[in-house]
Protein backbone atom coordinates (compact mmCIF):
# COMPACT_ATOMS: atom_id res chain seq x y z
CA UNK A 1 0.00 0.00 0.00
CA UNK A 2 1.35 3.42 -0.95
CA UNK A 3 1.49 6.01 1.76
CA UNK A 4 2.67 9.47 2.81
CA UNK A 5 5.03 10.21 5.67
CA UNK A 6 5.39 13.88 6.60
CA UNK A 7 7.64 15.35 9.27
CA UNK A 8 9.63 18.46 10.15
CA UNK A 9 13.03 18.53 8.46
CA UNK A 10 15.86 21.04 8.29
CA UNK A 11 15.79 23.20 5.14
CA UNK A 12 19.40 22.33 4.40
CA UNK A 13 19.03 18.58 3.89
CA UNK A 14 19.55 17.25 0.38
CA UNK A 15 15.86 16.38 -0.04
CA UNK A 16 14.62 19.71 1.36
CA UNK A 17 17.06 21.63 -0.83
CA UNK A 18 15.99 19.75 -3.97
CA UNK A 19 12.31 20.32 -3.21
CA UNK A 20 12.87 24.03 -2.55
CA UNK A 21 14.73 24.29 -5.89
CA UNK A 22 11.92 22.44 -7.68
CA UNK A 23 9.36 24.74 -6.04
CA UNK A 24 11.15 27.88 -7.12
CA UNK A 25 11.78 26.50 -10.62
CA UNK A 26 8.07 25.78 -11.10
CA UNK A 27 6.70 29.06 -9.76
CA UNK A 28 9.34 31.15 -11.58
CA UNK A 29 8.85 29.27 -14.86
CA UNK A 30 5.08 29.75 -14.66
CA UNK A 31 5.51 33.44 -13.90
CA UNK A 32 7.99 34.06 -16.73
CA UNK A 33 6.13 31.68 -19.10
CA UNK A 34 9.44 29.99 -19.94
CA UNK A 35 11.78 27.59 -18.16
CA UNK A 36 13.77 29.25 -15.40
CA UNK A 37 17.53 28.87 -15.70
CA UNK A 38 19.63 27.30 -12.94
CA UNK A 39 21.17 30.71 -12.31
CA UNK A 40 17.71 32.25 -11.88
CA UNK A 41 16.73 29.50 -9.44
CA UNK A 42 19.99 30.05 -7.51
CA UNK A 43 19.33 33.78 -7.39
CA UNK A 44 15.76 33.26 -6.21
CA UNK A 45 16.88 31.00 -3.39
CA UNK A 46 19.78 33.23 -2.30
CA UNK A 47 18.94 35.08 0.90
CA UNK A 48 15.31 33.88 0.78
CA UNK A 49 15.07 33.67 4.57
CA UNK A 50 14.73 29.88 4.66
CA UNK A 51 17.02 29.79 7.70
CA UNK A 52 14.10 31.21 9.72
CA UNK A 53 11.99 28.12 8.99
CA UNK A 54 13.05 26.44 12.22
CA UNK A 55 11.64 26.77 15.75
CA UNK A 56 11.00 29.16 17.35
CA UNK A 57 10.72 31.40 14.26
CA UNK A 58 9.16 28.82 11.97
CA UNK A 59 9.16 25.25 10.72
CA UNK A 60 9.86 23.35 7.51
CA UNK A 61 8.37 19.97 6.63
CA UNK A 62 9.05 17.38 3.98
CA UNK A 63 6.57 14.81 2.73
CA UNK A 64 7.67 11.47 1.37
CA UNK A 65 5.53 9.13 -0.70
CA UNK A 66 6.72 5.55 -0.31
CA UNK A 67 10.02 6.97 0.92
CA UNK A 68 10.56 9.41 -1.97
CA UNK A 69 10.76 13.10 -1.10
CA UNK A 70 7.77 14.57 -2.93
CA UNK A 71 6.41 17.58 -1.01
CA UNK A 72 7.50 20.43 1.20
CA UNK A 73 6.21 23.47 2.97
CA UNK A 74 7.22 26.00 5.54
CA UNK A 75 5.77 28.37 8.03
CA UNK A 76 7.22 31.58 9.39
CA UNK A 77 6.01 33.22 12.59
CA UNK A 78 5.14 36.81 11.66
CA UNK A 79 4.26 37.76 15.23
CA UNK A 80 2.99 35.98 18.35
CA UNK A 81 -0.34 35.07 16.73
CA UNK A 82 0.23 34.67 12.97
CA UNK A 83 2.19 32.06 11.06
CA UNK A 84 2.71 32.57 7.34
CA UNK A 85 2.59 29.47 5.14
CA UNK A 86 5.29 29.52 2.48
CA UNK A 87 7.00 27.31 -0.11
CA UNK A 88 4.07 24.88 -0.35
CA UNK A 89 5.06 22.43 -3.06
CA UNK A 90 4.03 19.01 -4.29
CA UNK A 91 6.07 17.44 -7.07
CA UNK A 92 3.90 17.01 -10.19
CA UNK A 93 4.25 13.21 -10.27
CA UNK A 94 2.71 13.01 -6.79
CA UNK A 95 -0.24 15.37 -7.22
CA UNK A 96 -3.72 13.94 -6.81
CA UNK A 97 -2.65 11.57 -4.01
CA UNK A 98 -3.84 13.69 -1.04
CA UNK A 99 -0.30 14.80 -0.13
CA UNK A 100 -1.17 18.49 -0.32
CA UNK A 101 -4.06 18.00 2.12
CA UNK A 102 -1.79 16.19 4.59
CA UNK A 103 0.91 18.83 4.13
CA UNK A 104 -1.47 21.68 5.01
CA UNK A 105 -2.82 19.80 8.03
CA UNK A 106 0.69 19.19 9.37
CA UNK A 107 1.76 22.80 8.79
CA UNK A 108 -1.33 24.05 10.63
CA UNK A 109 -0.55 21.72 13.54
CA UNK A 110 3.07 22.91 13.59
CA UNK A 111 1.84 26.51 13.60
CA UNK A 112 -0.32 25.75 16.65
CA UNK A 113 2.70 24.18 18.39
CA UNK A 114 4.59 27.44 17.83
CA UNK A 115 1.72 29.38 19.39
CA UNK A 116 -0.06 30.67 16.29
CA UNK A 117 -3.82 31.11 16.37
CA UNK A 118 -4.01 32.14 12.72
CA UNK A 119 -2.29 31.21 9.48
CA UNK A 120 -1.90 33.58 6.55
CA UNK A 121 -0.37 33.26 3.12
CA UNK A 122 0.09 35.15 -0.09
CA UNK A 123 0.20 33.85 -3.62
CA UNK A 124 -0.32 34.76 -7.25
CA UNK A 125 -3.56 34.63 -9.18
CA UNK A 126 -2.10 32.25 -11.81
CA UNK A 127 -1.40 29.55 -9.20
CA UNK A 128 -4.99 28.34 -9.42
CA UNK A 129 -4.30 24.83 -8.08
CA UNK A 130 -2.76 26.25 -4.91
CA UNK A 131 -5.59 28.73 -4.47
CA UNK A 132 -8.13 25.92 -4.81
CA UNK A 133 -6.31 23.88 -2.18
CA UNK A 134 -6.33 26.77 0.29
CA UNK A 135 -10.03 27.51 -0.20
CA UNK A 136 -10.90 23.80 0.23
CA UNK A 137 -9.09 23.92 3.58
CA UNK A 138 -11.01 26.89 4.90
CA UNK A 139 -8.74 29.74 3.86
CA UNK A 140 -10.53 32.95 2.95
CA UNK A 141 -9.37 36.08 1.17
CA UNK A 142 -8.03 38.71 3.58
CA UNK A 143 -6.69 42.24 3.21
CA UNK A 144 -3.06 42.55 2.15
CA UNK A 145 -0.59 42.05 5.00
CA UNK A 146 2.55 42.37 2.85
CA UNK A 147 3.68 43.57 -0.55
CA UNK A 148 5.99 42.22 -3.20
CA UNK A 149 6.39 41.85 -6.93
CA UNK A 150 4.88 38.33 -6.96
CA UNK A 151 2.09 38.88 -4.43
CA UNK A 152 -1.44 39.28 -5.83
CA UNK A 153 -3.83 37.71 -3.30
CA UNK A 154 -3.81 36.98 0.43
CA UNK A 155 -5.56 34.29 2.46
CA UNK A 156 -6.05 33.60 6.15
CA UNK A 157 -7.48 30.96 8.45
CA UNK A 158 -8.39 31.03 12.13
CA UNK A 159 -6.72 27.96 13.67
CA UNK A 160 -8.64 28.14 16.93
CA UNK A 161 -11.83 27.10 15.11
CA UNK A 162 -10.17 24.56 12.81
CA UNK A 163 -8.50 22.18 15.25
Amino acid sequence: MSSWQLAPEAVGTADATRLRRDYYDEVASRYWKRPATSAEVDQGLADDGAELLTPPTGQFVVGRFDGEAAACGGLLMLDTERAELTRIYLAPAFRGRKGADLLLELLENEARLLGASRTVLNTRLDLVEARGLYVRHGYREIPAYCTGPYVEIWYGKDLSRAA
Side-chain angles (χ1 to χ4, degrees):
M1 179 178 186
S2 298
S3 66
W4 284 99
Q5 300 82 38
L6 295 96
E9 187 166 322
V11 296
T13 68
D15 285 340
T17 299
R18 181 185 56 78
L19 287 165
R20 287 178 47 239
R21 288 187 67 79
D22 291 351
Y23 158 82
Y24 193 83
D25 182 31
E26 181 171 336
V27 297
S29 296
R30 285 177 71 165
Y31 181 79
W32 293 321
K33 296 178 178 52
R34 63 163 176 80
T37 66
S38 290
E40 288 168 334
V41 172
D42 291 342
Q43 183 180 4
L45 292 173
D47 301 319
D48 70 347
E51 70 279 358
L52 297 174
L53 302 180
T54 186
T57 54
Q59 187 62 277
F60 193 77
V61 301
V62 169
R64 290 178 171 76
F65 188 81
D66 288 346
E68 186 175 346
C72 69
L75 60 92
L76 176 66
M77 294 300 295
L78 298 179
D79 53 42
T80 58
E81 297 176 1
R82 293 179 307 155
E84 180 181 56
L85 298 183
T86 183
R87 297 168 185 85
I88 307 295
Y89 177 72
L90 193 66
F94 297 92
R95 293 176 186 168
R97 299 180 188 185
K98 303 294 182 198
D101 298 322
L102 296 170
L103 181 62
L104 270 186
E105 290 169 17
L106 178 57
L107 286 168
E108 289 171 2
N109 287 333
E110 292 293 327
R112 286 184 190 96
L113 291 173
L114 290 172
S117 59
R118 182 164 185 75
T119 48
V120 296
L121 63 94
N122 63 76
T123 191
R124 297 192 328 246
L125 295 172
D126 66 314
L127 300 176
V128 293
E129 304 91 344
R131 291 174 47 219
L133 171 71
Y134 303 137
V135 169
R136 278 196 324 274
H137 280 265
Y139 286 80
R140 298 294 174 252
E141 242 184 279
I142 60 170
Y145 66 88
C146 64
T147 60
Y150 310 111
V151 179
E152 298 174 319
I153 190 167
W154 301 261
Y155 291 96
K157 181 177 180 178
D158 183 348
L159 295 178
S160 62
R161 289 191 224 136

